[in-house]
Amino acid sequence: MLACVIYYSANILFGLANRKFLISILGIEYQGVNGLFGSVLNMLSIAELGIGTAIIYHLYRPLANDNKEMVGSIMQFYKNCYRGIALVMLTVGMILSVKLDFFVTASSLPVNIHIVYYLMLADVIATYTFAYKRSILYADQKNYIVAIINTFFVVCCNIVQVGILYWTKDYYLYLSVKLGLRLLENISINIYVSKHYAYLSAKKYPKIAKDLLKDIIQKIKGLLFHKIGTFVVNGTSNILISKFLGLALVGIYSNYYYVISAINSVLQQAFDGTTGSVGNLLATEDSSKRLSIFEELNGINTLFSAIAVNMLFVLINPFIKTIFGDEFVLNHTIVILLVLNMIFTNQRRVFGVFKAASGIQYEDRYVPIAESLTNIIISVILLFKFGLAGIFVGMLVAQCCVYLYTFPILIYRNVMKKSITDYTKYLLFVFSFHIISLSSVSWVFHVFIEETIMNYAIKGCVACIQTILIFYVFWHNTDSYQHMLNRIKLIIKK
């Protein structure tokens, strides 16, 4: 976990410095291009079909049992799949390049957007061409190896890119360095895996069993819909902003998105390791124990998320203003919508852990489609009336789909054996806490604390303490409160 924290910290700090230099030296529209083409190319990840998730799931048991024959067969199957995926992504990526003008409206950039796109496409293809060997490290609980290698190359890449910006101001070279170091990063991981799992390349393994292939295909069918939904909800905002509002606004929003997604990634690290334990819980304990652990984990997640959200709410604009300048700050209404979306996203986390541990991937396959359609329709309609705010309202409304079906029906009723009424009461309790804590933090800073750089640390500390106190008021009489305290101590210790 420490290696992962170091990786995310390095990624955030060096990434912010990189963005600062890019915007200062070349301009905000270059950051807009990065954000736009990043979203467009994320569309290609749909071609991955969720195979990686399904494969890692099926590697747990044979690795635990030291069944090298089965591990070899699965990895060989995975390798062949990813070669085909890389070819499909390259083909679709080249087709999309013909219609780049659809995504980019008026732009004053003195670069060929097609060359920029091809360099970024090559970066994505390089990732998928070599990525399959990472899966065995994840399945073998050696994420820290990947984190250590990633950290080294993240630091090197950002330092070299900043140097290129400073000395040459060459955007093509800036992107080429990232591509080159990405290849070296993947080659390094492949060398490590080849050395420590030498049996993978020692011989040609038989094809995977038909029943295993059938189960993988079944999971992929469900995961495909989730891949589409994830892209539409998280990836289309930059495309819509670029198409209707301009590249410069994409660049401005991408700074906010970068900070928010970085915070969410750090929070996710605290819960990534719980899926296996929850899977064992579901297999061995009754519904009352499941509910107790769920409420305990969700309480911890709610506390950490509320602290992060409330601190972000009072600090994000001053932070952006300090790092990038006044002209790159979004208005208060937009920040409120971003924070509300963050709350909805974070409250999905523990539900997601129980969903993954339960193997629920196919049963709710149509929910992400409903989420996607809701997001696009509402975002496009409101975009013309409210501009940027309309897009984020669409994202917020779309997120409600999982709260209306997947969580109450498949998780709360089927796994925890509780009624929809109980689910509704619990959800109202959690979101009431978020609304009251966010409102009170906002009021305190609006009335009592002035907007100065010297007050940033004070604002952060006050927001944190205030959130913890309100959490205590809400939770101290619940059955899971003491369990939560013990769990938090354990997380901090680890």
Side-chain angles (χ1 to χ4, degrees), residues 447-465:
V447 174
F448 294 107
I449 301 182
E450 296 180 0
E451 183 66 51
T452 66
I453 294 178
M454 294 299 295
N455 284 336
Y456 290 176
I458 297 174
K459 293 176 75 171
C461 291
V462 172
C464 179
I465 294 170

Side-chain angles (χ1 to χ4, degrees), residues 233-379:
V233 174
N234 296 326
T236 55
S237 54
N238 279 339
I239 296 174
L240 290 173
I241 295 169
S242 173
K243 178 66 179 176
F244 298 104
L245 303 174
L247 271 178
L249 195 52
V250 176
I252 293 172
Y253 164 63
S254 70
N255 291 330
Y256 284 78
Y257 179 78
Y258 180 82
V259 174
I260 291 171
S261 61
I263 293 171
N264 286 340
S265 296
V266 172
L267 289 172
Q268 187 66 39
Q269 288 301 306
F271 293 88
D272 273 346
T274 63
T275 304
S277 299
V278 170
N280 182 66
L281 169 79
L282 297 179
T284 59
E285 300 290 349
D286 59 20
S287 58
S288 61
K289 182 65 173 179
R290 296 174 185 179
L291 181 64
S292 175
I293 297 298
F294 169 81
E295 291 182 346
E296 178 186 334
L297 289 176
N298 201 49
I300 296 170
N301 176 58
T302 301
L303 173 59
F304 287 172
S305 298
I307 292 172
V309 164
N310 292 347
M311 290 178 67
L312 180 88
F313 180 63
V314 298
L315 292 175
I316 185 68
N317 271 353
F319 177 79
I320 295 293
K321 185 188 299 183
T322 302
I323 299 295
F324 300 105
D326 289 346
E327 65 271 32
F328 302 118
V329 173
L330 294 173
N331 66 52
H332 191 65
T333 301
I334 301 297
V335 173
I336 291 174
L337 290 171
L338 290 175
V339 164
L340 290 175
N341 269 291
M342 187 177 177
I343 290 172
F344 271 70
T345 299
N346 285 333
Q347 285 305 141
R348 296 170 66 153
R349 186 171 292 115
V350 176
F351 280 106
V353 169
F354 274 74
K355 180 176 178 292
S358 303
I360 298 172
Q361 294 162 340
Y362 185 75
E363 292 83 349
D364 66 335
R365 60 195 178 280
Y366 297 123
V367 172
I369 300 301
E371 192 175 5
S372 303
L373 291 174
T374 302
N375 180 59
I376 291 176
I377 292 170
I378 294 179
S379 293

Side-chain angles (χ1 to χ4, degrees), residues 94-104 114:
M94 295 303 292
I95 293 172
L96 285 174
S97 69
V98 178
K99 291 293 184 180
L100 286 184
D101 291 340
F102 172 81
F103 301 106
V104 182
H114 285 83

